[in-house]
């Protein structure tokens, strides 16, 4: 039986060494996910240009809060990779590492003589994860790339929003987060391949591709039928009723009826059992074609009850529903509390800080959050001395601006 997550240094990736050279946001989040399950992650930042995420979003007393989550479980080293001294230090780190994650524009590492040829020569077992907007080749490869562009280019924005409204972008880093998950999977696949071949390899992750992959069979629909999925707001073209509905206490719930049995239970609950016998009700597509009628029935019933009454009634009827939470509701939700999805940690700058816990539970090697995001270059001396550099050598690197 899986138990709630504990703060522990143990994890299935304990012993794996990762160098995080990336910024904003897919690459660093991949490194965070690996660190959550035990990998030893060294975050490398420019000595005079800290990771931009340290200044993204709200801060408290000058402390960037996003970094506390994104930088967790990472040691922090400053290194100017474009300098001879910085290049030498990186190659020494690479020699004893398993994974490097980077998101520079294609050709940048090569310009610094730190491309795949040099890195693999330093460590033939290295896995190099290259995370860029458009991949390492093709006509767009050298363009600046961000998750927003992937959300637009993949077709996600085109199907998101109200039918009579504009294409809609998400208000958070959706494409970056999906690419981080995909890169974590790709890194583990490459490491498994190394177990077989004894050799490392390059992961070429284009942020535009995982975003397209999650959108369902759009390419097949278009190829076979010429069908282009339209914007339908909160409705689905595959089933109904499926929407958001306002309750009598001015709150909101979401209802889904992907399964036929659930759709039937919902219509019985809201007092419209007769529609179940309609021929069109027997398929999701048929119900979607009658969404106006079904939404009116479900929305009218929900509007006459408070959110708590609605959720209780749906649960009793074994019909699928969820409250539409904001973060205040999330922190108060008994299911999230039971799962320990949000945890509280000690922090040297903030005293304590709450953040999302590790992504999933493992019964034997659960991983955990060992520390929150640290200061810029906080572990530089420790890491360099661990490479065998003397105090004089470290001082010389600082004098040269390499660290």
């Amino acid at each position: 039986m899986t138990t709630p997550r504990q703060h522990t240094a143990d994890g299935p990736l304990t012993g794996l060494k990762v160098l995080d050279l990336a910024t904003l946001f897919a690459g660093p989040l991949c490194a965070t996910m690996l660190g959550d399950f035990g990998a030893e992650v060294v975050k490398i930042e420019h000595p005079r240009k800290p990771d931009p995420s340290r200044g993204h979003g709200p801060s408290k007393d000058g402390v960037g809060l996003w970094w506390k989550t994104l930088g967790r479980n990472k040691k922090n080293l400053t290194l100017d990779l474009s300098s001879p001294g910085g290049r030498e230090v990186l190659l020494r780190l690479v020699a004893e590492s398993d994974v490097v994650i980077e998101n520079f524009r294609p050709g940048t590492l090569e310009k610094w003589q730190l491309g795949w040829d040099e890195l693999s020569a330093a460590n033939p077992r290295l896995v190099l994860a290259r995370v860029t907007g458009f991949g390492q080749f093709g006509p767009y490869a050298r363009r600046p790339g961000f998750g927003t562009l992937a959300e637009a280019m993949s077709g996600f924005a085109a199907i998101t929003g109200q039918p009579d409204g504009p294409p809609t972008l998400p208000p958070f880093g959706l494409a970056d987060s999906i690419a981080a998950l995909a890169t974590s999977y790709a890194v583990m696949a490459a490491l498994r391949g190394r177990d077989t071949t004894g050799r490392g390899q390059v992961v070429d992750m284009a942020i535009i591709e995982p975003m397209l992959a999650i959108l369902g069979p759009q390419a097949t629909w278009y190829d076979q039928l010429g069908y282009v999925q339209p914007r339908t707001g909160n409705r689905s073209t595959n089933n109904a009723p499926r929407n958001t509905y306002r309750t009598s206490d001015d709150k909101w719930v979401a209802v889904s009826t992907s399964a036929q049995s659930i759709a039937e239970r919902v219509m019985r609950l809201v007092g419209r059992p007769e529609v179940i016998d309609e021929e069109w009700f027997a398929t999701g597509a048929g119900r979607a074609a009658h969404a106006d009628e079904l939404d009116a029935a479900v929305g009218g019933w929900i509007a006459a009850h408070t959110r708590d009454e609605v959720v209780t009634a749906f649960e009793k009827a074994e019909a699928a529903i969820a409250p539409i939470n904001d973060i205040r509701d999330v922190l108060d939700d008994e299911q999230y509390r039971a799962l320990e999805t949000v945890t509280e940690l000690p922090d040297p700058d903030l005293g304590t800080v709450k953040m999302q816990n590790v992504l999933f539970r493992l019964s034997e090697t659960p991983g955990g959050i060992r520390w929150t995001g640290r200061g810029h270059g906080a572990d530089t001396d420790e890491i360099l001395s661990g490479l065998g550099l003397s105090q004089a050598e470290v001082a010389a690197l600082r004098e040269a601006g390499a660290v």
Side-chain angles (χ1 to χ4, degrees):
M1 177 179 175
T2 301
T3 57
R5 291 161 288 194
Q6 303 297 320
H7 307 311
T8 172
D10 296 328
L13 302 184
T14 297
L16 191 74
K17 295 185 177 181
V18 178
L19 302 180
D20 175 9
L21 280 57
T23 59
L24 296 178
F25 279 100
L29 183 55
C30 167
T32 302
M33 293 174 178
L34 298 176
D36 283 351
F37 288 93
E40 179 185 334
V41 181
V42 174
K43 171 70 177 180
I44 296 177
E45 300 174 76
H46 193 281
R48 294 164 293 283
K49 300 173 185 176
D51 189 302
S53 65
R54 291 182 181 271
H56 266 56
S59 62
K60 181 180 180 182
D61 299 329
V63 177
L65 300 180
W66 201 330
W67 174 254
K68 289 298 180 181
T69 298
L70 190 63
R72 73 193 195 190
N73 289 335
K74 300 179 183 181
K75 295 182 178 180
N76 286 259
L77 166 69
T78 58
L79 209 58
D80 182 352
L81 301 180
S82 67
S83 70
R87 177 182 182 276
E88 180 182 348
V89 170
L90 183 71
L91 289 175
R92 292 176 68 166
L93 287 167
V94 164
E96 57 182 41
S97 297
D98 299 285
V99 179
V100 170
I101 302 171
E102 65 97 2
N103 70 340
F104 298 106
R105 288 198 208 183
T108 300
L109 283 184
E110 286 74 10
K111 178 179 66 175
W112 297 334
Q113 296 183 307
L114 288 170
W116 175 240
D117 290 344
E118 291 84 1
L119 296 180
S120 61
N123 182 354
R125 291 176 56 80
L126 182 74
V127 169
L128 172 62
R130 315 195 79 166
V131 187
T132 57
F134 306 106
Q136 294 295 309
F137 57 91
Y140 302 168
R142 294 189 62 82
R143 291 183 181 180
F146 297 98
T148 297
L149 307 188
E151 290 147 9
M153 187 173 166
S154 64
F156 171 83
I159 64 171
T160 304
Q162 295 300 321
D164 57 350
T168 301
L169 296 167
F172 68 101
L174 177 61
D176 280 307
S177 300
I178 292 169
L181 286 163
T183 306
S184 300
Y185 167 55
V187 165
M188 299 311 299
L191 290 170
R192 180 66 181 92
R194 186 182 74 173
D195 292 342
T196 302
T197 67
R199 300 187 306 275
Q201 58 185 300
V202 177
V203 171
D204 179 4
M205 180 61 66
I207 297 174
I208 59 172
E209 292 186 302
M211 195 70 213
L212 177 60
I214 69 163
L215 295 183
Q218 287 196 20
T220 306
W221 285 340
Y222 182 73
D223 173 63
Q224 297 295 308
L225 301 171
Y227 175 73
V228 178
Q229 185 174 343
R231 286 192 292 282
T232 56
N234 291 319
R235 285 180 172 176
S236 169
T237 58
N238 303 314
N239 63 80
R242 190 263 198 183
N243 213 325
T244 61
Y245 306 93
R246 192 194 298 265
T247 62
S248 65
D249 52 349
D250 203 28
K251 296 181 181 179
W252 292 85
V253 295
V255 172
S256 176
T257 58
S258 296
Q260 180 71 22
S261 60
I262 299 294
E264 293 175 4
R265 291 171 194 165
V266 169
M267 299 318 296
R268 291 191 186 101
L269 172 63
V270 302
R272 290 292 306 278
E274 72 279 2
V275 299
I276 297 172
D277 297 326
E278 297 286 348
E279 183 177 352
W280 52 262
F281 196 88
T283 66
R287 298 197 308 274
H290 291 77
D292 286 344
E293 178 181 353
L294 297 177
D295 269 350
V298 175
W301 185 89
I302 287 175
H305 300 81
T306 67
R307 186 171 75 172
D308 286 347
E309 290 170 344
V310 171
V311 171
T312 298
F314 267 70
E315 287 182 347
K316 185 176 180 180
E318 298 184 359
I321 194 168
I324 295 180
N325 290 337
D326 63 21
I327 189 58
R328 294 167 295 187
D329 301 314
V330 169
L331 294 177
D332 197 42
D333 189 287
E334 60 183 358
Q335 182 62 29
Y336 280 127
R337 284 184 174 181
L339 296 174
E340 297 185 359
T341 307
V342 177
T343 188
E344 189 170 60
L345 299 150
D347 180 82
D349 300 310
L350 303 170
T352 60
V353 59
K354 290 182 178 179
M355 64 179 63
Q356 294 95 321
N357 212 329
V358 301
L359 195 57
F360 47 83
R361 286 159 295 283
L362 297 176
S363 62
E364 300 301 323
T365 52
I369 305 171
R370 288 159 280 164
W371 60 80
T372 59
R374 291 179 174 173
H376 180 230
D379 304 288
T380 296
D381 287 348
E382 175 191 334
I383 293 168
L384 295 180
S385 64
L387 288 174
L389 275 67
S390 67
Q391 290 184 355
E393 289 173 311
V394 173
L397 289 170
R398 280 206 169 91
E399 181 68 22
V403 300

